[in-house]
Amino acid sequence: MNWIEVISALLGLGCVFLAGRGSKYNFYLGYVYNTFLFILFWRQHLYSAMLIQPVAFAINAYGHWRWTHPGEGERNSKGDLKIGRMDTWRWVSAIAVMVLAGLLWAKALVWLPQKWPGTFAPDPSPLLDSFILMATLTAQFLSARKYWECWILWLAVNAANIALYIISGLYLMPVVSALYLANGIWSLATWKRKFNINE
């Protein structure tokens, strides 16, 4: 365990705690969190998790804008973006794209260390790493749109991350992911209640 992992854990916990409560301030912590995760995952040779961070930073910025600039008919009683639901077609499409992209990226993770062995060390679990990457990006995008279904994906991501971090030799991040999992269960129920009252 090192200080980067500790700071990343604290930033992540703060970020998801605020997101689960629908607070727009989660985005400010998210920007710093992405930066620390990039460094942490680079040091652990988790290249999917590392490369996701600039993309996650951009999705975070988009979500920050969406939550604070809702369109007509999208505002809750506080003037923020209200929680929405996805129709079946969008949900199935999102899952299909996520699976296809996960398979393609897993192949890339196997190929990169073969092509540039001096730059990339072998990923300890390329298939799991790849699917976590794609599920995380999808969940984050759904969070940016403030769709209730984002929490279903976050539950799957956090459960898979516990396994990935243990395989990779991280000590604190599996505990953090377990706390994320607990927060995700609570947030799933909270966002459903807020959706039902049009918040």
Side-chain angles (χ1 to χ4, degrees), residues 110-149:
V110 172
W111 176 78
L112 284 171
Q114 294 170 351
K115 181 70 174 174
W116 294 290
T119 304
F120 295 100
D123 190 305
S125 184
L127 195 60
L128 181 60
D129 195 7
S130 179
F131 277 106
I132 289 173
L133 166 71
M134 296 310 164
T136 299
L137 286 175
T138 305
Q140 190 174 9
F141 181 74
L142 298 182
S143 298
R145 301 285 299 180
K146 216 169 184 179
Y147 286 135
W148 172 80
E149 289 83 358

Side-chain angles (χ1 to χ4, degrees), residues 44-47 109 113 117 120-126:
Q44 295 300 127
H45 308 296
L46 294 172
Y47 300 118
L109 288 178
F120 295 100
D123 190 305
S125 184

Side-chain angles (χ1 to χ4, degrees), residues 57-113:
F57 193 97
I59 295 174
N60 194 44
Y62 168 71
H64 193 176
W65 182 83
R66 277 292 290 140
W67 281 36
T68 55
H69 295 82
E72 289 300 320
E74 295 181 325
R75 299 177 192 277
N76 62 20
S77 60
K78 298 176 185 176
D80 296 324
L81 181 66
K82 65 183 177 183
I83 295 167
R85 293 288 304 267
M86 297 173 66
D87 59 41
T88 303
W89 173 246
R90 285 186 184 177
W91 183 237
V92 170
S93 298
I95 297 299
V97 169
M98 183 181 73
V99 169
L100 179 60
L103 289 170
L104 292 173
W105 185 244
K107 286 189 174 292
L109 288 178
V110 172
W111 176 78
L112 284 171

Side-chain angles (χ1 to χ4, degrees), residues 124-177:
S125 184
L127 195 60
L128 181 60
D129 195 7
S130 179
F131 277 106
I132 289 173
L133 166 71
M134 296 310 164
T136 299
L137 286 175
T138 305
Q140 190 174 9
F141 181 74
L142 298 182
S143 298
R145 301 285 299 180
K146 216 169 184 179
Y147 286 135
W148 172 80
E149 289 83 358
C150 74
W151 292 108
I152 296 171
L153 276 182
W154 281 128
L155 293 178
V157 165
N158 292 323
N161 270 335
I162 293 171
L164 180 64
Y165 294 150
I166 290 170
I167 291 168
S168 303
L170 293 170
Y171 299 100
L172 186 56
M173 294 307 285
V175 176
V176 172
S177 289

